[in-house]
Amino acid sequence: MAEPISISVGGNSHWGIAIVDNEMNSDTSDDIALSNDVELRFAGSTVLDSGVEVGVRIEIEGEQSGDQGDETYMYLEGSFGIIRVGNDDPASYAMGTAAPYATYFYGINTPYWVGSFSGPNSNWHTTFAGTSVGDSASVMYFSPVINGFQFGVSYAPEAGAEARSGTADRAKGNDVVAAGARYDGAFGEAGVTVAGGYASHDMEGGPTVTDTALGVVVSMSGVSVGGSYMVTDPDTDGVDDLEQYDVGISYGEGPWTISLNYGEKNQDSAGTDNTYARLLGNYNLGPGINLAGALGQDTLASDENTSFAGIAMAISF
């Protein structure tokens, strides 16, 4: 007989501090920036007599937030793959990859700490297709992994009309259709990851915005090299495509990992011409405990450039 689902509790507490030299107006920039990301995760599963695993996952922000609930979904997993229903990032985002980073803290292409020190959230840099959609109420399917290859598709219906969910409005518009594919394998002694994604977002009362992304990472003997690229087509007359990419090289030995990373964000019609450079380091102090450091330089078309040095502590449990 299958056992009842029991819930385990996990999460993370991430905190960092940086000294920032920002050429923007001093009233809108920080000399010292304190950043944080705190979450609680509740997860549980059981295996039915049929061999199908049934599970749930609920994430809650560990501090006051306009988006207090995060990824919250149920799933079925078996030889057929994974079926997931709930609030989660689209398949194009979930299956993506980016340049290798020693740490995501103060990185270029990072899930932590929205935006850069160089200005508002418009300076957010990402090469993961469908990032802007957020954790929308969705139906998702991921195939089994066959010889290192897996694909996934997802659909988020129109918020407030077809999706009777209090969190569906995070789609910020109408239907979102996404697909992703990923290969994790090896050629000789080199490990290889290749990932691609596509997301189509039907904006309410407006155009259909699409993201197309591709990433490649090759690793051998502790060295990883790679990058990723995404183009966003706003489907609007007089508005150019938005192009973003990142590249990097990292090296890890024992508890230490270091990386050198570079990225760009360009859109001619918006006057966007941003470059980002990072030297990152991470030291593993113990299970789930990491100390990270970063040196960074952001350069904008407005010449409001930013340099910073920061450290961060990450505790995962």
Side-chain angles (χ1 to χ4, degrees):
M1 297 290 292
E3 295 291 331
I5 292 177
S6 59
I7 297 295
S8 63
V9 180
N12 60 261
S13 182
H14 299 158
W15 291 83
I17 187 169
I19 299 173
V20 182
D21 179 14
N22 195 319
E23 295 180 1
M24 293 181 65
N25 185 304
S26 60
D27 292 335
T28 60
S29 61
D30 295 317
D31 294 324
I32 297 179
L34 187 65
S35 306
N36 64 304
D37 180 81
V38 182
E39 288 188 342
L40 283 175
R41 302 184 186 93
F42 303 88
S45 65
T46 189
V47 178
L48 304 179
D49 295 342
S50 62
V52 175
E53 180 180 332
V54 180
V56 295
R57 181 182 176 98
I58 301 170
E59 294 189 7
I60 299 175
E61 296 296 332
E63 56 193 305
Q64 187 64 37
S65 172
D67 182 13
Q68 198 68 48
D70 206 350
E71 284 91 358
T72 58
Y73 56 81
M74 57 159 286
Y75 67 88
L76 304 175
E77 181 174 358
S79 58
F80 53 82
I82 303 171
I83 299 173
R84 186 181 297 173
V85 181
N87 304 317
D88 200 7
D89 298 305
S92 54
Y93 180 101
M95 305 198 75
T97 192
Y101 291 86
T103 175
Y104 279 122
F105 299 104
Y106 300 118
I108 299 170
N109 200 350
T110 169
Y112 306 121
W113 305 343
V114 173
S116 72
F117 294 120
S118 301
N121 294 346
S122 60
N123 288 320
W124 173 266
H125 184 94
T126 182
T127 59
F128 290 87
T131 301
S132 62
V133 174
D135 302 312
S136 302
S138 308
V139 178
M140 311 180 74
Y141 170 74
F142 297 96
S143 74
V145 178
I146 301 175
N147 295 325
F149 175 80
Q150 184 182 34
F151 73 88
V153 293
S154 64
Y155 170 67
E158 179 181 356
E162 299 165 353
R164 299 299 181 181
S165 166
T167 57
D169 58 356
R170 278 184 277 181
K172 303 182 182 69
N174 293 346
D175 298 350
V176 179
V177 178
R182 183 181 178 106
Y183 172 78
D184 292 287
F187 289 93
E189 297 182 356
V192 177
T193 295
V194 180
Y198 173 84
S200 174
H201 183 192
D202 184 13
M203 302 293 288
E204 186 174 7
T208 298
V209 178
T210 60
D211 292 340
T212 305
L214 177 66
V216 179
V217 178
V218 178
S219 303
M220 184 169 54
S221 301
V223 178
S224 296
V225 180
S228 59
Y229 170 83
M230 183 175 76
V231 58
T232 299
D233 181 359
D235 191 27
T236 301
D237 291 341
V239 180
D240 294 331
D241 290 350
L242 172 64
E243 296 180 283
Q244 301 180 78
Y245 75 85
D246 70 345
V247 293
I249 180 171
S250 70
Y251 175 72
E253 182 176 1
W256 283 99
T257 305
I258 59 173
S259 71
L260 185 63
N261 301 91
Y262 177 82
E264 289 193 6
K265 179 178 181 178
N266 299 288
Q267 187 177 33
D268 290 342
S269 59
T272 300
D273 184 14
N274 301 350
T275 65
Y276 311 90
R278 298 288 188 272
L279 175 63
L280 305 169
N282 187 80
Y283 183 77
N284 180 246
L285 297 170
I289 304 173
N290 288 277
L291 180 65
L295 295 175
Q297 171 76 40
D298 297 348
T299 302
L300 309 185
S302 61
D303 290 329
E304 294 174 330
N305 304 328
T306 300
S307 301
F308 71 90
I311 59 172
M313 174 73 80
I315 300 175
S316 301
F317 52 90

